[in-house]
Amino acid sequence: MSKEQKLSKWYFGGVASAMACCCTHPLDLLKVQLQTQQEGKLSVVKLTINIVKKQGVLALYNGLSASLLRQLTYSTTRFGIYEIVKQRMDKDSGFGSRVALAAFAGSAGGLVGTPADKINVRMQNDIKLSPDKRLNYKHAVDGLWRVYRDEGIPRLFSGATAATFRAALMTIGQLSFYDQIKKMLLTTPYFQDNLTTHFVASLSAGAIATTLTQPLDVLKTRTMNAKPGEFKGMWDIILYTAKLGPLGFFKGYVPAFVRLAPQTILTFVFLEQLRFNFGVLPKGV
């Protein structure tokens, strides 16, 4: 039986995302720091040099434990729901059905992953603060415990609205478009179900996902990084960001794409390899 016919297990997406996260975390950290700069004076290169000079190369991996926890909650949920339902859908189901499924799966993943995402943003932003203002979470679990203890359970889910909408758009851009683009490529005589096809489809999906999610990603990051009482609500954050003009909602776009493109590519490459090597055959085959 051909490996191409194998199906993914529900947890493959979370594992693949966590593996990819280990490779792209420094880019995610730079994206967060650019998004939380109101003036935006530092470029990606200058920001990187500044961090390495002051705190060393390992500072680029600050918050890695939170990033991994986020992927193991957020991505496992969204990939799991998407894969399980997709495998039970009619083979003739159209692109619109997969978009709706991706939106639902992404929303669920965004809500589940919000606490870890909040700690991830705070830990990544911590290194640019002065020592007396840093939160100094030891790791992701310590961060979750301290937010629960000092700020209460509701604060763990602050930013959940933006995170949920962003996750829905991200999952549409990544999963449904990846499947659609891959399907279109495989109908041509130039592509087969191999690494080249996975690369082209995932790169395209990464570009689409970045464009769809960047405005919400900026708002989510500002919400999660805000101090208690700093903003009255989401509209207040939108107005604050709008002071920078329309491009203010796309702050950090370049590092977001530079980070999300390899993240998406690696995720789907790892996912396809997990499917090829450890996947299951469809029932009745």
Side-chain angles (χ1 to χ4, degrees):
M1 185 59 62
S2 173
K3 290 183 178 181
E4 284 78 1
Q5 291 182 281
K6 289 186 176 180
L7 301 175
S8 292
K9 295 180 181 178
W10 65 270
Y11 57 86
F12 281 1
V15 174
S17 297
M19 293 167 67
C21 169
C22 292
C23 302
T24 61
H25 183 76
L27 296 171
D28 194 32
L29 181 141
L30 293 172
K31 179 204 71 172
V32 167
Q33 294 211 13
L34 283 170
Q35 288 176 344
T36 53
Q37 288 183 117
Q38 181 66 358
E39 299 302 324
K41 293 179 180 179
L42 291 178
S43 65
V44 177
V45 176
K46 287 182 179 178
L47 183 59
T48 305
I49 293 172
N50 193 39
I51 292 171
V52 173
K53 266 187 177 181
K54 290 183 177 180
Q55 302 181 59
V57 175
L58 291 180
L60 294 172
Y61 280 89
N62 196 46
L64 179 60
S65 64
S67 287
L68 290 172
L69 180 61
R70 176 177 178 267
Q71 294 300 338
L72 291 173
T73 52
Y74 157 67
S75 285
T76 299
T77 301
R78 67 191 185 113
F79 271 92
I81 293 174
Y82 185 82
E83 283 295 333
I84 290 171
V85 178
K86 184 183 75 171
Q87 291 171 15
R88 287 165 173 73
M89 288 172 63
D90 191 320
K91 291 184 179 180
D92 296 325
S93 298
F95 178 58
S97 298
R98 289 196 297 276
V99 168
L101 171 59
F104 172 75
S107 298
L111 181 61
V112 170
T114 295
D117 200 5
K118 181 181 186 68
I119 302 306
N120 182 38
V121 168
R122 286 188 172 187
M123 290 181 73
Q124 290 179 357
N125 194 57
D126 223 23
I127 62 174
K128 81 173 188 181
L129 302 175
S130 57
D132 60 308
K133 294 182 179 179
R134 290 177 189 170
L135 296 168
N136 293 318
Y137 295 151
K138 296 176 183 177
H139 44 71
V141 176
D142 178 55
L144 290 172
W145 167 249
R146 285 174 56 185
V147 173
Y148 165 74
R149 182 191 65 192
D150 301 336
E151 303 174 42
I153 291 178
R155 285 294 295 173
L156 281 172
F157 287 90
S158 67
T161 302
T164 300
F165 278 112
R166 175 192 178 275
L169 292 175
M170 177 67 75
T171 307
I172 289 170
Q174 285 185 323
L175 275 65
S176 59
F177 273 93
Y178 175 81
D179 281 348
Q180 184 67 16
I181 294 168
K182 177 183 171 183
K183 183 178 179 182
M184 291 171 60
L185 291 175
L186 292 177
T187 60
T188 71
Y190 309 107
F191 292 90
Q192 296 180 341
D193 196 356
N194 55 27
L195 184 60
T196 300
T197 301
H198 304 159
F199 177 85
V200 173
S202 57
L203 177 61
S204 303
I208 293 169
T210 304
T211 304
L212 287 175
T213 61
Q214 191 60 16
L216 280 172
D217 198 29
V218 171
L219 295 176
K220 174 191 71 89
T221 299
R222 287 182 178 272
T223 302
M224 292 180 170
N225 196 54
K227 298 175 183 177
E230 185 176 353
F231 297 106
K232 296 177 182 177
M234 182 57 67
W235 184 245
D236 196 23
I237 297 175
I238 292 173
L239 293 177
Y240 179 75
T241 306
K243 292 178 182 178
L244 300 171
L247 292 180
F249 292 95
F250 287 88
K251 284 177 72 69
Y253 183 89
V254 173
F257 175 72
V258 170
R259 171 254 173 194
L260 189 59
Q263 170 77 21
T264 303
I265 292 168
L266 290 171
T267 296
F268 282 107
V269 166
F270 290 146
L271 178 63
E272 295 284 14
Q273 289 305 310
L274 287 170
R275 178 174 69 86
F276 280 177
N277 292 286
F278 305 105
V280 295
L281 293 174
K283 291 183 179 179
V285 174

